[in-house]
């Protein structure tokens, strides 16, 4: 299952996509909040596009789950 796989998003801080998704579950709704929760994209910023993509996907998934409930 693809959910069992994790991908490093931020190599500078060793942050995986799972950690970003967890931060969204804890309340991060903006990129700035995601940075505050995890530290992602606060060093070289190379990971910003991927981190934003994971954020958008997690927010969409959370929104869908809320609507389905």
């Amino acid at each position: 299952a693809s959910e069992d796989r994790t991908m490093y998003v931020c190599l500078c801080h060793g942050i995986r996509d799972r950690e970003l998704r967890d931060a969204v579950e804890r309340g991060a709704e903006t990129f700035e909040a995601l940075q505050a929760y995890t530290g992602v994209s606060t060093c070289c910023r190379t990971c910003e596009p991927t981190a934003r993509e994971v954020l958008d996907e997690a927010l969409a998934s959370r929104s869908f789950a809320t609507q389905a409930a």
Side-chain angles (χ1 to χ4, degrees):
S2 63
E3 291 182 31
D4 294 337
R5 294 181 182 181
T6 59
M7 167 182 70
Y8 278 97
V9 174
C10 177
L11 296 179
C12 294
H13 296 296
I15 299 168
R16 296 181 173 109
D17 61 330
R18 174 71 47 113
E19 294 168 75
L20 301 182
R21 293 178 199 287
D22 288 346
V24 171
E25 290 300 315
R26 292 191 321 264
E29 295 184 346
T30 65
F31 185 70
E32 292 75 18
L34 192 67
Q35 288 180 299
Y37 273 84
T38 65
V40 72
S41 191
T42 58
C43 189
C44 78
R45 301 194 187 276
T46 301
C47 62
E48 183 173 343
T50 304
R52 286 185 180 275
E53 184 177 322
V54 172
L55 172 64
D56 291 344
E57 289 172 1
L59 288 172
S61 176
R62 188 176 77 176
S63 176
F64 178 75
T66 302
Q67 290 173 2

